[in-house]
Amino acid sequence: MTDVPVPEVDVWTPIGPIAINWSGGSSTGVLFHIAIPVSNPSIIYVSSKTGGVWASSDHGATWRAASGDLPSLVVFGLAVDAAAAEHLYVVLGGAGVYESKDAGGSWAKVGTFPGLPSDVTDLIVDPSNGLRLYMRAQNGIYRSDDGGAFWQPSLDGAASHLVMGPSDPNVLYAGLPGQGVFRTGDGGARWTRLLGGAGAIDVKVAVTAADAAVIYTRFKVTKTENLV
Protein backbone atom coordinates (compact mmCIF):
# COMPACT_ATOMS: atom_id res chain seq x y z
CA MET A 1 0.00 0.00 0.00
CA THR A 2 1.42 3.37 -1.03
CA ASP A 3 1.31 6.24 1.40
CA VAL A 4 -0.58 9.24 0.10
CA PRO A 5 1.17 12.52 0.97
CA VAL A 6 -0.89 14.76 3.21
CA PRO A 7 -0.86 18.41 2.18
CA GLU A 8 0.48 20.83 4.74
CA VAL A 9 -2.11 22.99 6.46
CA ASP A 10 -1.49 26.50 7.79
CA VAL A 11 1.96 26.65 6.21
CA TRP A 12 2.72 29.94 4.43
CA THR A 13 5.76 30.82 2.35
CA PRO A 14 6.75 34.45 1.75
CA ILE A 15 6.95 35.31 -1.95
CA GLY A 16 7.74 39.04 -1.75
CA PRO A 17 8.10 41.77 -2.69
CA ILE A 18 10.87 42.75 -0.28
CA ALA A 19 10.71 45.98 1.69
CA ILE A 20 12.24 49.00 -0.01
CA ASN A 21 13.98 52.10 1.32
CA TRP A 22 12.04 55.31 0.87
CA SER A 23 13.32 58.81 1.70
CA GLY A 24 16.32 57.32 3.45
CA GLY A 25 14.34 55.08 5.80
CA SER A 26 13.02 51.55 5.69
CA SER A 27 9.43 50.92 4.70
CA THR A 28 7.21 48.95 7.04
CA GLY A 29 7.03 45.97 4.70
CA VAL A 30 3.28 45.82 5.32
CA LEU A 31 1.06 45.23 2.26
CA PHE A 32 -2.55 46.40 2.35
CA HIS A 33 -4.05 45.23 -0.95
CA ILE A 34 -3.76 42.32 -3.36
CA ALA A 35 -5.40 42.54 -6.81
CA ILE A 36 -5.44 39.62 -9.27
CA PRO A 37 -7.01 40.13 -12.71
CA VAL A 38 -9.53 37.48 -13.68
CA SER A 39 -8.29 37.63 -17.27
CA ASN A 40 -4.78 36.53 -16.23
CA PRO A 41 -4.50 34.98 -12.73
CA SER A 42 -0.71 34.58 -13.01
CA ILE A 43 -0.47 38.36 -12.50
CA ILE A 44 -0.50 39.77 -8.98
CA TYR A 45 -0.55 43.42 -7.95
CA VAL A 46 0.08 44.53 -4.36
CA SER A 47 0.23 47.94 -2.72
CA SER A 48 1.30 49.63 0.49
CA LYS A 49 0.93 53.00 2.19
CA THR A 50 4.73 53.22 2.32
CA GLY A 51 5.92 51.27 -0.74
CA GLY A 52 3.65 52.10 -3.68
CA VAL A 53 2.57 49.43 -6.18
CA TRP A 54 4.39 46.21 -7.07
CA ALA A 55 3.59 43.64 -9.76
CA SER A 56 4.38 40.01 -10.53
CA SER A 57 3.59 38.16 -13.75
CA ASP A 58 4.65 34.70 -12.56
CA HIS A 59 2.50 33.99 -9.49
CA GLY A 60 4.85 35.93 -7.20
CA ALA A 61 8.16 34.27 -8.17
CA THR A 62 9.59 37.65 -9.26
CA TRP A 63 8.46 41.23 -8.71
CA ARG A 64 8.90 44.65 -10.29
CA ALA A 65 8.09 48.15 -9.11
CA ALA A 66 4.84 49.34 -10.72
CA SER A 67 4.50 52.83 -9.25
CA GLY A 68 5.72 54.40 -12.48
CA ASP A 69 5.37 58.18 -12.35
CA LEU A 70 2.95 58.30 -9.43
CA PRO A 71 3.57 61.47 -7.39
CA SER A 72 3.44 59.53 -4.13
CA LEU A 73 3.98 56.00 -2.79
CA VAL A 74 1.17 56.44 -0.24
CA VAL A 75 -1.37 54.07 -1.82
CA PHE A 76 -4.63 53.87 0.12
CA GLY A 77 -6.52 51.70 -2.40
CA LEU A 78 -5.78 49.43 -5.37
CA ALA A 79 -8.01 47.69 -7.93
CA VAL A 80 -7.63 46.01 -11.32
CA ASP A 81 -10.03 45.79 -14.25
CA ALA A 82 -11.30 42.21 -14.58
CA ALA A 83 -11.32 42.40 -18.38
CA ALA A 84 -7.90 44.06 -18.84
CA ALA A 85 -5.01 42.83 -16.71
CA GLU A 86 -2.95 45.96 -17.43
CA HIS A 87 -5.70 48.41 -16.38
CA LEU A 88 -5.24 49.57 -12.77
CA TYR A 89 -6.67 52.18 -10.43
CA VAL A 90 -5.15 53.51 -7.21
CA VAL A 91 -6.23 55.95 -4.51
CA LEU A 92 -3.29 58.07 -3.37
CA GLY A 93 -3.14 59.77 0.00
CA GLY A 94 -3.47 63.52 -0.54
CA ALA A 95 -3.32 63.24 -4.32
CA GLY A 96 -6.50 61.72 -5.76
CA VAL A 97 -7.45 58.78 -7.97
CA TYR A 98 -4.97 57.60 -10.63
CA GLU A 99 -5.23 55.17 -13.54
CA SER A 100 -2.67 53.07 -15.40
CA LYS A 101 -3.35 51.35 -18.72
CA ASP A 102 0.07 49.72 -19.00
CA ALA A 103 0.31 47.59 -15.84
CA GLY A 104 1.81 50.36 -13.71
CA GLY A 105 4.37 51.65 -16.18
CA SER A 106 2.76 55.10 -16.30
CA TRP A 107 -0.09 56.75 -14.45
CA ALA A 108 -2.55 59.60 -15.04
CA LYS A 109 -4.77 61.41 -12.57
CA VAL A 110 -8.44 60.81 -13.33
CA GLY A 111 -10.17 62.47 -10.40
CA THR A 112 -10.13 63.81 -6.86
CA PHE A 113 -11.43 62.17 -3.72
CA PRO A 114 -15.11 61.74 -2.99
CA GLY A 115 -14.78 63.19 0.48
CA LEU A 116 -11.86 61.95 2.58
CA PRO A 117 -10.68 58.38 1.88
CA SER A 118 -9.87 56.05 4.71
CA ASP A 119 -6.15 55.43 5.26
CA VAL A 120 -6.74 51.94 3.85
CA THR A 121 -9.81 51.91 1.67
CA ASP A 122 -11.79 49.51 -0.50
CA LEU A 123 -11.72 50.32 -4.22
CA ILE A 124 -13.76 48.03 -6.50
CA VAL A 125 -14.01 47.87 -10.30
CA ASP A 126 -17.22 46.48 -11.79
CA PRO A 127 -16.10 43.31 -13.68
CA SER A 128 -18.66 44.02 -16.42
CA ASN A 129 -17.70 47.69 -16.85
CA GLY A 130 -14.14 48.89 -16.26
CA LEU A 131 -15.30 52.50 -15.90
CA ARG A 132 -17.64 51.84 -12.98
CA LEU A 133 -15.91 52.13 -9.62
CA TYR A 134 -16.97 51.95 -5.99
CA MET A 135 -14.98 53.47 -3.14
CA ARG A 136 -15.25 53.44 0.64
CA ALA A 137 -14.45 56.83 2.17
CA GLN A 138 -14.48 58.18 5.71
CA ASN A 139 -18.01 59.52 5.38
CA GLY A 140 -19.65 56.94 3.13
CA ILE A 141 -19.55 54.81 -0.01
CA TYR A 142 -19.33 56.44 -3.43
CA ARG A 143 -19.81 55.32 -7.03
CA SER A 144 -18.25 56.54 -10.27
CA ASP A 145 -19.49 55.69 -13.76
CA ASP A 146 -16.69 57.42 -15.65
CA GLY A 147 -13.49 55.84 -14.35
CA GLY A 148 -13.13 58.00 -11.27
CA ALA A 149 -13.54 61.48 -12.75
CA PHE A 150 -16.86 62.16 -10.98
CA TRP A 151 -18.22 60.48 -7.86
CA GLN A 152 -21.74 60.32 -6.51
CA PRO A 153 -22.70 59.34 -2.94
CA SER A 154 -24.23 55.90 -2.55
CA LEU A 155 -24.43 55.15 1.20
CA ASP A 156 -23.83 57.53 4.12
CA GLY A 157 -21.76 56.45 7.09
CA ALA A 158 -18.18 55.58 7.96
CA ALA A 159 -18.15 52.07 6.48
CA SER A 160 -15.36 49.72 7.55
CA HIS A 161 -15.73 47.27 4.63
CA LEU A 162 -17.13 47.02 1.11
CA VAL A 163 -17.31 43.88 -1.06
CA MET A 164 -19.03 42.90 -4.30
CA GLY A 165 -21.15 39.79 -4.75
CA PRO A 166 -19.48 37.01 -6.77
CA SER A 167 -22.23 36.47 -9.35
CA ASP A 168 -23.83 39.89 -9.88
CA PRO A 169 -21.81 43.16 -10.01
CA ASN A 170 -24.89 45.10 -8.97
CA VAL A 171 -24.85 43.36 -5.59
CA LEU A 172 -22.58 44.84 -2.93
CA TYR A 173 -22.30 44.45 0.82
CA ALA A 174 -21.07 47.05 3.29
CA GLY A 175 -20.16 46.85 6.96
CA LEU A 176 -20.81 49.96 9.07
CA PRO A 177 -19.59 50.21 12.67
CA GLY A 178 -22.51 50.60 15.05
CA GLN A 179 -25.03 50.02 12.26
CA GLY A 180 -24.41 46.53 10.88
CA VAL A 181 -24.39 44.90 7.44
CA PHE A 182 -26.02 46.51 4.41
CA ARG A 183 -26.81 45.17 0.92
CA THR A 184 -27.60 46.75 -2.43
CA GLY A 185 -28.91 44.87 -5.47
CA ASP A 186 -28.97 47.80 -7.90
CA GLY A 187 -25.41 49.06 -7.93
CA GLY A 188 -25.73 51.28 -4.89
CA ALA A 189 -28.94 53.16 -5.71
CA ARG A 190 -30.69 51.70 -2.66
CA TRP A 191 -29.35 49.86 0.39
CA THR A 192 -31.09 47.54 2.86
CA ARG A 193 -29.82 46.71 6.32
CA LEU A 194 -29.52 42.95 6.78
CA LEU A 195 -28.17 42.82 10.30
CA GLY A 196 -27.80 45.34 13.12
CA GLY A 197 -24.42 46.12 14.58
CA ALA A 198 -24.91 48.00 17.85
CA GLY A 199 -21.62 48.15 19.75
CA ALA A 200 -19.45 47.01 16.83
CA ILE A 201 -16.42 49.19 16.10
CA ASP A 202 -15.43 47.28 12.95
CA VAL A 203 -17.63 45.19 10.61
CA LYS A 204 -16.24 42.95 7.85
CA VAL A 205 -18.23 40.97 5.24
CA ALA A 206 -17.34 37.95 3.07
CA VAL A 207 -19.38 36.24 0.34
CA THR A 208 -18.81 32.70 -0.89
CA ALA A 209 -18.71 32.11 -4.64
CA ALA A 210 -20.17 28.62 -4.12
CA ASP A 211 -23.48 30.09 -2.94
CA ALA A 212 -24.14 33.80 -3.39
CA ALA A 213 -26.94 33.60 -0.83
CA VAL A 214 -24.45 32.75 1.95
CA ILE A 215 -22.57 35.63 3.51
CA TYR A 216 -20.35 35.87 6.56
CA THR A 217 -19.70 38.85 8.77
CA ARG A 218 -17.24 39.59 11.53
CA PHE A 219 -18.17 42.07 14.24
CA LYS A 220 -15.36 43.54 16.29
CA VAL A 221 -16.33 45.03 19.61
CA THR A 222 -14.04 46.27 22.35
CA LYS A 223 -11.51 43.48 23.09
CA THR A 224 -13.65 40.77 21.43
CA GLU A 225 -14.71 39.64 17.96
CA ASN A 226 -17.84 37.75 16.89
CA LEU A 227 -18.28 35.75 13.68
CA VAL A 228 -21.83 35.13 12.48
PDB file of all heavy atoms in Angstrom, residues 114 141-145 150-155 187:
ATOM      1  N   PRO A 114     -13.724  61.498  -3.410  1.00  0.00           N
ATOM      2  CA  PRO A 114     -15.113  61.736  -2.994  1.00  0.00           C
ATOM      3  C   PRO A 114     -15.163  61.863  -1.478  1.00  0.00           C
ATOM      4  O   PRO A 114     -15.375  60.891  -0.758  1.00  0.00           O
ATOM      5  CB  PRO A 114     -15.838  60.475  -3.466  1.00  0.00           C
ATOM      6  CG  PRO A 114     -14.788  59.407  -3.390  1.00  0.00           C
ATOM      7  CD  PRO A 114     -13.469  60.085  -3.681  1.00  0.00           C
ATOM      8  N   ILE A 141     -19.944  55.570   1.183  1.00  0.00           N
ATOM      9  CA  ILE A 141     -19.554  54.815  -0.006  1.00  0.00           C
ATOM     10  C   ILE A 141     -19.981  55.609  -1.237  1.00  0.00           C
ATOM     11  O   ILE A 141     -21.073  56.186  -1.268  1.00  0.00           O
ATOM     12  CB  ILE A 141     -20.208  53.421   0.012  1.00  0.00           C
ATOM     13  CG1 ILE A 141     -19.594  52.586   1.151  1.00  0.00           C
ATOM     14  CG2 ILE A 141     -20.034  52.702  -1.325  1.00  0.00           C
ATOM     15  CD1 ILE A 141     -20.312  51.293   1.424  1.00  0.00           C
ATOM     16  N   TYR A 142     -19.097  55.651  -2.225  1.00  0.00           N
ATOM     17  CA  TYR A 142     -19.328  56.441  -3.433  1.00  0.00           C
ATOM     18  C   TYR A 142     -19.213  55.560  -4.675  1.00  0.00           C
ATOM     19  O   TYR A 142     -18.537  54.524  -4.671  1.00  0.00           O
ATOM     20  CB  TYR A 142     -18.323  57.583  -3.526  1.00  0.00           C
ATOM     21  CG  TYR A 142     -18.513  58.654  -2.484  1.00  0.00           C
ATOM     22  CD1 TYR A 142     -18.071  58.462  -1.170  1.00  0.00           C
ATOM     23  CD2 TYR A 142     -19.130  59.857  -2.800  1.00  0.00           C
ATOM     24  CE1 TYR A 142     -18.241  59.442  -0.206  1.00  0.00           C
ATOM     25  CE2 TYR A 142     -19.298  60.856  -1.846  1.00  0.00           C
ATOM     26  CZ  TYR A 142     -18.850  60.641  -0.559  1.00  0.00           C
ATOM     27  OH  TYR A 142     -19.029  61.616   0.399  1.00  0.00           O
ATOM     28  N   ARG A 143     -19.844  56.028  -5.756  1.00  0.00           N
ATOM     29  CA  ARG A 143     -19.813  55.316  -7.029  1.00  0.00           C
ATOM     30  C   ARG A 143     -19.426  56.278  -8.148  1.00  0.00           C
ATOM     31  O   ARG A 143     -19.828  57.441  -8.156  1.00  0.00           O
ATOM     32  CB  ARG A 143     -21.180  54.707  -7.328  1.00  0.00           C
ATOM     33  CG  ARG A 143     -21.357  54.186  -8.746  1.00  0.00           C
ATOM     34  CD  ARG A 143     -22.720  53.550  -8.937  1.00  0.00           C
ATOM     35  NE  ARG A 143     -23.121  53.529 -10.335  1.00  0.00           N
ATOM     36  CZ  ARG A 143     -24.206  52.932 -10.799  1.00  0.00           C
ATOM     37  NH1 ARG A 143     -25.018  52.300  -9.970  1.00  0.00           N
ATOM     38  NH2 ARG A 143     -24.505  52.964 -12.074  1.00  0.00           N
ATOM     39  N   SER A 144     -18.612  55.779  -9.079  1.00  0.00           N
ATOM     40  CA  SER A 144     -18.250  56.542 -10.271  1.00  0.00           C
ATOM     41  C   SER A 144     -18.587  55.725 -11.506  1.00  0.00           C
ATOM     42  O   SER A 144     -18.324  54.514 -11.550  1.00  0.00           O
ATOM     43  CB  SER A 144     -16.751  56.869 -10.273  1.00  0.00           C
ATOM     44  OG  SER A 144     -16.369  57.472 -11.493  1.00  0.00           O
ATOM     45  N   ASP A 145     -19.168  56.377 -12.507  1.00  0.00           N
ATOM     46  CA  ASP A 145     -19.495  55.693 -13.761  1.00  0.00           C
ATOM     47  C   ASP A 145     -18.591  56.109 -14.912  1.00  0.00           C
ATOM     48  O   ASP A 145     -18.812  55.705 -16.057  1.00  0.00           O
ATOM     49  CB  ASP A 145     -20.959  55.967 -14.144  1.00  0.00           C
ATOM     50  CG  ASP A 145     -21.940  55.297 -13.190  1.00  0.00           C
ATOM     51  OD1 ASP A 145     -21.661  54.166 -12.751  1.00  0.00           O
ATOM     52  OD2 ASP A 145     -22.980  55.913 -12.879  1.00  0.00           O
ATOM     53  N   PHE A 150     -15.770  61.591 -11.791  1.00  0.00           N
ATOM     54  CA  PHE A 150     -16.856  62.162 -10.982  1.00  0.00           C
ATOM     55  C   PHE A 150     -17.418  61.062 -10.086  1.00  0.00           C
ATOM     56  O   PHE A 150     -17.594  59.929 -10.528  1.00  0.00           O
ATOM     57  CB  PHE A 150     -17.963  62.724 -11.880  1.00  0.00           C
ATOM     58  CG  PHE A 150     -19.157  63.206 -11.126  1.00  0.00           C
ATOM     59  CD1 PHE A 150     -19.145  64.425 -10.469  1.00  0.00           C
ATOM     60  CD2 PHE A 150     -20.307  62.416 -11.038  1.00  0.00           C
ATOM     61  CE1 PHE A 150     -20.250  64.864  -9.747  1.00  0.00           C
ATOM     62  CE2 PHE A 150     -21.418  62.850 -10.322  1.00  0.00           C
ATOM     63  CZ  PHE A 150     -21.379  64.077  -9.674  1.00  0.00           C
ATOM     64  N   TRP A 151     -17.716  61.435  -8.827  1.00  0.00           N
ATOM     65  CA  TRP A 151     -18.224  60.477  -7.855  1.00  0.00           C
ATOM     66  C   TRP A 151     -19.558  60.943  -7.297  1.00  0.00           C
ATOM     67  O   TRP A 151     -19.748  62.133  -7.059  1.00  0.00           O
ATOM     68  CB  TRP A 151     -17.235  60.296  -6.702  1.00  0.00           C
ATOM     69  CG  TRP A 151     -15.927  59.704  -7.119  1.00  0.00           C
ATOM     70  CD1 TRP A 151     -14.858  60.380  -7.640  1.00  0.00           C
ATOM     71  CD2 TRP A 151     -15.556  58.332  -7.079  1.00  0.00           C
ATOM     72  NE1 TRP A 151     -13.833  59.508  -7.914  1.00  0.00           N
ATOM     73  CE2 TRP A 151     -14.235  58.244  -7.578  1.00  0.00           C
ATOM     74  CE3 TRP A 151     -16.206  57.166  -6.658  1.00  0.00           C
ATOM     75  CZ2 TRP A 151     -13.556  57.032  -7.662  1.00  0.00           C
ATOM     76  CZ3 TRP A 151     -15.528  55.960  -6.745  1.00  0.00           C
ATOM     77  CH2 TRP A 151     -14.218  55.899  -7.246  1.00  0.00           C
ATOM     78  N   GLN A 152     -20.452  60.002  -7.096  1.00  0.00           N
ATOM     79  CA  GLN A 152     -21.744  60.317  -6.505  1.00  0.00           C
ATOM     80  C   GLN A 152     -21.932  59.503  -5.234  1.00  0.00           C
ATOM     81  O   GLN A 152     -21.513  58.339  -5.166  1.00  0.00           O
ATOM     82  CB  GLN A 152     -22.883  60.018  -7.483  1.00  0.00           C
ATOM     83  CG  GLN A 152     -22.957  58.566  -7.946  1.00  0.00           C
ATOM     84  CD  GLN A 152     -23.957  58.365  -9.076  1.00  0.00           C
ATOM     85  OE1 GLN A 152     -24.293  59.295  -9.784  1.00  0.00           O
ATOM     86  NE2 GLN A 152     -24.419  57.135  -9.222  1.00  0.00           N
ATOM     87  N   PRO A 153     -22.512  60.087  -4.182  1.00  0.00           N
ATOM     88  CA  PRO A 153     -22.705  59.342  -2.939  1.00  0.00           C
ATOM     89  C   PRO A 153     -23.682  58.190  -3.123  1.00  0.00           C
ATOM     90  O   PRO A 153     -24.667  58.307  -3.841  1.00  0.00           O
ATOM     91  CB  PRO A 153     -23.253  60.398  -1.979  1.00  0.00           C
ATOM     92  CG  PRO A 153     -23.842  61.448  -2.860  1.00  0.00           C
ATOM     93  CD  PRO A 153     -23.021  61.464  -4.103  1.00  0.00           C
ATOM     94  N   SER A 154     -23.384  57.081  -2.452  1.00  0.00           N
ATOM     95  CA  SER A 154     -24.230  55.898  -2.546  1.00  0.00           C
ATOM     96  C   SER A 154     -24.813  55.511  -1.191  1.00  0.00           C
ATOM     97  O   SER A 154     -25.992  55.192  -1.088  1.00  0.00           O
ATOM     98  CB  SER A 154     -23.433  54.725  -3.124  1.00  0.00           C
ATOM     99  OG  SER A 154     -24.184  53.532  -3.147  1.00  0.00           O
ATOM    100  N   LEU A 155     -23.982  55.523  -0.138  1.00  0.00           N
ATOM    101  CA  LEU A 155     -24.434  55.148   1.202  1.00  0.00           C
ATOM    102  C   LEU A 155     -23.703  56.001   2.222  1.00  0.00           C
ATOM    103  O   LEU A 155     -22.468  56.045   2.229  1.00  0.00           O
ATOM    104  CB  LEU A 155     -24.161  53.667   1.463  1.00  0.00           C
ATOM    105  CG  LEU A 155     -24.536  53.119   2.853  1.00  0.00           C
ATOM    106  CD1 LEU A 155     -26.043  53.174   3.063  1.00  0.00           C
ATOM    107  CD2 LEU A 155     -24.027  51.683   3.022  1.00  0.00           C
ATOM    108  N   GLY A 187     -26.606  48.259  -7.719  1.00  0.00           N
ATOM    109  CA  GLY A 187     -25.410  49.060  -7.933  1.00  0.00           C
ATOM    110  C   GLY A 187     -25.277  50.259  -7.022  1.00  0.00           C
ATOM    111  O   GLY A 187     -24.600  51.224  -7.362  1.00  0.00           O
TER     112      GLY A 187
END
